[in-house]
């Protein structure tokens, strides 16, 4: 099935599947948070002691049904990173709308380690518990990126965005924008507890390999 022939009716997950996903998100996120809080504390100290600025980076992203929310991460960039975003766009190493640089000068030394192992994403556990995100789903995009989306790409917002997903286990930043949207829509069609468990298991290998992690 091509992008142009996608039937929006096929991209509406059953409410029962989404409810089951939500119950699993709450249970697993609570357990994960209990297990990793010492790691998160150590990361927070490392961020605070090695560069000026807040420990957390909070940014508006687009989530379920196109509604915006505030996504939280450990700060991995210098304080002026957002102000320098425009000048970096022309240097992006990734095709399409999303800015990705293999050697981004805005990233701190600690931030490079955090991004390599996806540790900067850990605070999004709080977004999951709040209900803004899921453990698995399409990556939440920036508002300005979503404004430039082709029409079919908005169908990815029919499920909660995720900390991990098909894009992350398929190469992350090495995947083009069009390929990412294709993966996101494939996920929307198959969103379920079973799919999420499969993606989470694959995430372990993706993080260890480091492919596309920049």
């Amino acid at each position: 099935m091509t992008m142009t022939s996608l039937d929006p009716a096929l991209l509406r997950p059953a409410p029962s599947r989404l409810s089951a996903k939500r119950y699993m998100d709450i249970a697993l996120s609570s357990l994960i948070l209990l297990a990793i809080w010492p790691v998160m504390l150590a990361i927070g100290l490392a961020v605070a002691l090695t560069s000026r600025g807040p420990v957390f980076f909070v940014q508006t992203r687009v989530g379920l049904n196109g509604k915006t929310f505030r996504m939280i991460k450990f700060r991995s960039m210098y304080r002026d990173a957002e102000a320098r975003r425009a000048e970096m766009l022309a240097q992006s190493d990734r095709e399409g709308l999303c800015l990705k640089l293999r050697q981004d000068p805005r990233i701190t030394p600690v931030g490079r380690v955090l991004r390599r192992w996806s540790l900067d994403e850990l605070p999004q556990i709080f977004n999951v518990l709040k209900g803004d995100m899921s453990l698995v789903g399409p990556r939440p995009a920036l508002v300005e990126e979503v404004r430039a989306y082709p029409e079919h790409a908005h169908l990815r917002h029919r499920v909660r965005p995720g900390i991990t997903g098909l894009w992350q286990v398929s190469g992350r930043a090495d995947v083009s924008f069009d390929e990412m949207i294709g993966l996101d829509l494939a996920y929307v069609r198959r969103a379920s507890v079973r799919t999420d468990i499969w993606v989470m298991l694959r995430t372990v290998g993706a993080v260890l390999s480091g492919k596309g992690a920049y």
Side-chain angles (χ1 to χ4, degrees):
M1 184 178 292
T2 64
M3 290 292 180
T4 55
S5 65
L6 280 171
D7 182 354
L10 298 177
L11 292 167
R12 195 172 293 282
S16 59
R17 288 188 174 187
L18 297 183
S19 294
K21 268 174 54 68
R22 181 64 188 146
Y23 289 136
M24 183 178 72
D25 282 341
I26 294 171
L28 285 183
S29 295
S30 299
L31 292 173
I32 292 169
L33 188 58
L34 286 172
I36 68 170
W37 71 263
V39 175
M40 293 181 66
L41 179 60
I43 292 172
L45 287 172
V47 172
L49 295 174
T50 56
S51 63
R52 294 183 179 181
V55 169
F56 298 108
F57 175 68
V58 182
Q59 190 176 51
T60 300
R61 297 289 181 110
V62 179
L64 181 64
N65 296 321
K67 294 181 180 179
T68 58
F69 69 97
R70 302 287 281 170
M71 189 186 79
I72 183 171
K73 303 174 68 171
F74 282 118
R75 180 175 58 82
S76 61
M77 292 187 169
Y78 293 105
R79 286 189 298 179
D80 64 347
E82 286 298 286
R84 298 172 62 188
R85 177 180 170 80
E87 68 182 75
M88 297 290 112
L89 285 173
Q91 303 174 39
S92 181
D93 291 311
R94 185 187 186 205
E95 295 179 6
L97 298 174
C98 305
L99 171 63
K100 289 291 181 181
L101 297 170
R102 294 182 185 277
Q103 298 296 327
D104 194 329
R106 301 173 300 162
I107 299 176
T108 66
V110 168
R112 293 195 185 282
V113 176
L114 297 182
R115 288 188 171 213
R116 166 61 182 82
W117 298 104
S118 298
L119 297 173
D120 58 320
E121 314 285 358
L122 292 181
Q124 287 159 43
I125 291 291
F126 294 110
N127 286 120
V128 175
L129 290 171
K130 185 180 176 184
D132 293 327
M133 293 179 66
S134 174
L135 289 172
V136 179
R139 226 19 224 153
L142 295 168
V143 174
E144 57 266 33
E145 292 173 347
V146 173
R147 289 197 190 106
Y149 272 9
E151 184 177 353
H152 70 273
H154 293 277
L155 296 172
R156 72 197 294 271
H157 299 133
R158 288 188 171 181
V159 296
R160 285 185 177 88
I163 297 178
T164 187
L166 289 180
W167 171 70
Q168 290 89 330
V169 302
S170 300
R172 288 188 274 188
D174 288 341
V175 176
S176 72
F177 173 78
D178 289 338
E179 290 171 328
M180 181 192 75
I181 296 300
L183 290 167
D184 289 343
L185 300 188
Y187 174 78
V188 173
R189 281 199 299 271
R190 300 173 176 84
S192 67
V193 167
R194 182 178 179 179
T195 299
D196 284 10
I197 292 173
W198 177 78
V199 171
M200 284 188 278
L201 290 174
R202 286 194 61 189
T203 298
V204 176
V207 171
L208 292 176
S209 73
K211 184 179 180 182
Y214 57 87

